[in-house]
Amino acid sequence: AATAPRIPSTRLALHHLDTSCSLHLGALWPSVRAGLLCEQKYGALLNNFATTDHVPQELELLNATDFVSEALQKVQQWQQGAARGCQEGSVEGRTVMQAGMMTQAEMSPLLSASISSKIKCYTFPRGDITRFRPARPDALGLLDYYLMDAASLLPVLALNVQLDDFVLDLCAAPGGKTLALLQTGFCGHLAANDISISRTKRLYQILHSYVPKEVRENVSVTSYDGRDWDHVKGGTFHKVLVDVPCTTDRHSATEEENNIFHKRRTKERQMLPMLQLQLLMAGILAAKPGGEVVYSTCSLSPLQNECVVE
């Protein structure tokens, strides 16, 4: 009774989310809230380095689909329909085409990455809570797919890695996005950094379980403080992913262990936007002139997203 918290960290987190997210998400918040509190669904990121020819067919028989190629096909069909409407000369067609051009411009990094990369990630349909089987090794011992939150692929697709790009994953552990970056087959060199040595060990395990030795030779794993990266190799990367530490809303709302809303971590939580800003600045300074930086979080908080970018 003396040591147990009066209010669980998960309840504090949910109260905070209810207060802040209901303001900026409005009518969307109830459905987003339900999604946060539901059991987490995973996607299966296909490992292109393993012998996985049989895996897509196996997953499709279970009614799973590759959401990357599926999304691309839908957008292309929509654009073709808009183009036909424009050619026919209708006012509606021209309006749709103008909207389509805006959408294409806004989504071009995602689309071009989808076209040019080999990334495939299978998910079950909405409402289907089937679990993927555990990953299996091929003849060389490489696992056939990696289970991850499918939304974690979006920053990787947005980064739009091109052939022989030097890429920095500034906050890389535990390694899902690092592995996804390698799946593009385009990284000339990939620097994977994370300040946490224990989390970096997990990153090493993933690389050894999924990536052949000859590819791992083009990956450097370090444990620097990401805020100081410009002192290490400033201005050298074509693409930089800054996937920063954040309140990790789903975890905060559902799990007591290591919850950042615990009273002992109040100061750490309050300082997160400053840490995120410092990491983003370091990522920008790590990029070559004309390079590209993607900033991402797994939080809904505008303070940790729009405000940091602004």
Side-chain angles (χ1 to χ4, degrees), residues 191-264:
N193 177 75
D194 198 278
I195 191 172
S196 169
I197 294 174
S198 61
R199 284 164 58 88
T200 303
K201 288 178 181 176
R202 169 68 177 146
L203 174 57
Y204 273 116
Q205 290 172 353
I206 288 175
L207 290 174
H208 280 268
S209 299
Y210 288 89
V211 182
K213 183 180 178 181
E214 61 271 19
V215 178
R216 293 201 306 268
E217 289 173 353
N218 289 326
V219 181
S220 59
V221 179
T222 55
S223 294
Y224 296 113
D225 186 330
R227 292 172 289 186
D228 301 328
W229 186 268
D230 59 303
H231 301 312
V232 184
K233 291 181 181 177
T236 55
F237 293 93
H238 301 97
K239 303 290 169 64
V240 181
L241 177 59
V242 187
D243 184 59
V244 294
C246 64
T247 48
T248 319
D249 293 347
R250 180 191 289 277
H251 176 91
S252 296
T254 57
E255 297 183 37
E256 283 295 319
E257 185 181 354
N258 199 31
N259 194 311
I260 199 166
F261 280 85
H262 193 284
K263 286 184 178 180
R264 287 196 301 267

Side-chain angles (χ1 to χ4, degrees), residues 63-93:
N63 204 28
T65 55
D66 171 23
F67 88 88
V68 180
S69 61
E70 192 178 57
L72 179 63
Q73 289 169 7
K74 286 181 179 177
V75 172
Q76 287 175 334
Q77 289 169 1
W78 185 84
Q79 290 173 340
Q80 288 168 2
R84 283 196 298 271
C86 188
Q87 288 168 357
E88 290 167 4
S90 69
V91 174
E92 285 184 28

Side-chain angles (χ1 to χ4, degrees), residues 27-101:
L28 288 173
W29 172 235
S31 59
V32 175
R33 188 185 198 271
L36 275 177
L37 296 176
C38 284
E39 182 179 350
Q40 187 168 6
K41 286 180 61 173
Y42 289 91
L45 173 66
L46 215 61
N47 184 14
N48 295 318
F49 303 116
T51 307
T52 57
D53 296 344
H54 64 287
V55 177
Q57 185 177 4
E58 176 191 334
L59 295 178
E60 286 163 11
L61 286 172
L62 296 173
N63 204 28
T65 55
D66 171 23
F67 88 88
V68 180
S69 61
E70 192 178 57
L72 179 63
Q73 289 169 7
K74 286 181 179 177
V75 172
Q76 287 175 334
Q77 289 169 1
W78 185 84
Q79 290 173 340
Q80 288 168 2
R84 283 196 298 271
C86 188
Q87 288 168 357
E88 290 167 4
S90 69
V91 174
E92 285 184 28
R94 284 195 295 274
T95 305
V96 171
M97 189 59 185
Q98 286 165 0
M101 290 167 66

